[in-house]
Amino acid sequence: MVDEDPLPDTDSKRFTLAFPGSARIDKGYDKILNILQELDARQPFLDYRVYLQSLPTSELVHHYNIQRDLFKHPRIRAYPAKVNQDELKNYIQKSHLLILPYCPNIYQERSSAMMAEAACFGRQVVASSNCGFSSQIESLGIGQTCNNAIEMAEAIANYSLLTADSLKLKAAEARISYKNHIVRSYDSFFSFSS
């Protein structure tokens, strides 16, 4: 993935968000509607679209009301619960910005494959603070971290005001920073272990 070319820029004129990856509560599926409602309150005239995946059947029985209410939002475009890598890349490619509202209690000591994919594919992220990967997002310029739905909505609104060229430049710089970080991490690990 690190050596793959970045995804082409989206050709959508409509500002497009993705909540990528599996629809799970630990990845903030239950926070999405609140984030979008806060965004609507701050930017009532913003023409935007949202891509996400549906809950798997095993989770739908426990969180049906969350998905039902979420799917009433007119901006949502839902993919099936399971998508292959090409389908995932397709909806990330259609997006300007990726949102990762992960649960800090679960992800406190964990990284995120979606953060890495965002950096490698050339997309900025808005993500939760206090996760194991949050400091990398900030220090490597991959995006912005936030403490709650209000801050996430504000960050999304700010990104929506950027030109396509500004977003592209930020993503390109983050990709370089992330690739350099990976090289340093591997060098450090293998130097330490030898």
Side-chain angles (χ1 to χ4, degrees), residues 14-72:
R14 181 182 295 172
F15 190 67
T16 304
L17 313 172
F19 291 81
S22 301
R24 299 194 327 237
I25 299 302
D26 63 300
K27 288 189 169 191
Y29 195 78
D30 57 332
K31 299 175 187 173
I32 296 173
L33 183 58
N34 193 17
I35 293 166
L36 298 181
Q37 289 170 335
E38 293 290 347
L39 178 61
D40 293 338
R42 279 156 183 70
Q43 294 280 356
F45 301 109
L46 177 63
D47 184 21
Y48 71 97
R49 175 181 1 199
V50 176
Y51 290 114
L52 50 74
Q53 289 172 224
S54 304
L55 285 168
T57 305
S58 60
E59 290 297 308
L60 190 57
V61 296
H62 303 293
H63 306 293
Y64 172 79
N65 291 343
I66 292 170
Q67 183 157 291
R68 180 201 62 208
D69 293 344
L70 185 58
F71 282 15
K72 288 180 183 177

Side-chain angles (χ1 to χ4, degrees), residues 4-185:
E4 286 187 52
D5 291 331
L7 293 175
D9 296 335
T10 179
D11 57 4
S12 176
K13 302 298 181 220
R14 181 182 295 172
F15 190 67
T16 304
L17 313 172
F19 291 81
S22 301
R24 299 194 327 237
I25 299 302
D26 63 300
K27 288 189 169 191
Y29 195 78
D30 57 332
K31 299 175 187 173
I32 296 173
L33 183 58
N34 193 17
I35 293 166
L36 298 181
Q37 289 170 335
E38 293 290 347
L39 178 61
D40 293 338
R42 279 156 183 70
Q43 294 280 356
F45 301 109
L46 177 63
D47 184 21
Y48 71 97
R49 175 181 1 199
V50 176
Y51 290 114
L52 50 74
Q53 289 172 224
S54 304
L55 285 168
T57 305
S58 60
E59 290 297 308
L60 190 57
V61 296
H62 303 293
H63 306 293
Y64 172 79
N65 291 343
I66 292 170
Q67 183 157 291
R68 180 201 62 208
D69 293 344
L70 185 58
F71 282 15
K72 288 180 183 177
H73 195 286
R75 306 287 185 180
I76 298 287
R77 301 295 177 266
Y79 278 73
K82 291 185 179 181
V83 298
N84 62 37
Q85 186 64 18
D86 287 338
E87 291 168 317
L88 176 67
K89 286 171 72 172
N90 179 54
Y91 78 76
I92 290 175
Q93 188 274 320
K94 292 179 181 179
S95 302
H96 294 93
L97 185 66
L98 307 185
I99 317 300
L100 310 177
Y102 292 12
C103 178
N105 293 340
I106 304 295
Y107 277 84
Q108 188 174 16
E109 304 295 332
R110 295 170 65 180
S111 189
S112 165
M114 282 298 129
M115 178 212 61
E117 292 200 37
C120 294
F121 290 155
R123 295 298 183 269
Q124 288 279 284
V125 302
V126 170
S128 299
S129 300
N130 302 314
C131 292
F133 56 90
S134 301
S135 62
Q136 287 179 328
I137 289 174
E138 294 283 352
S139 66
L140 300 175
I142 298 169
Q144 184 176 340
T145 60
C146 305
N147 291 310
N148 53 49
I150 293 171
E151 289 183 9
M152 285 195 164
E154 289 172 353
I156 294 166
N158 289 337
Y159 272 107
S160 76
L161 300 174
L162 296 176
T163 65
D165 286 342
S166 295
L167 270 174
K168 185 176 181 175
L169 180 61
K170 282 179 175 290
E173 290 172 347
R175 178 179 161 82
I176 292 167
S177 294
Y178 184 74
K179 287 181 81 169
N180 290 338
H181 169 73
I182 293 296
V183 169
R184 287 191 308 271
S185 297

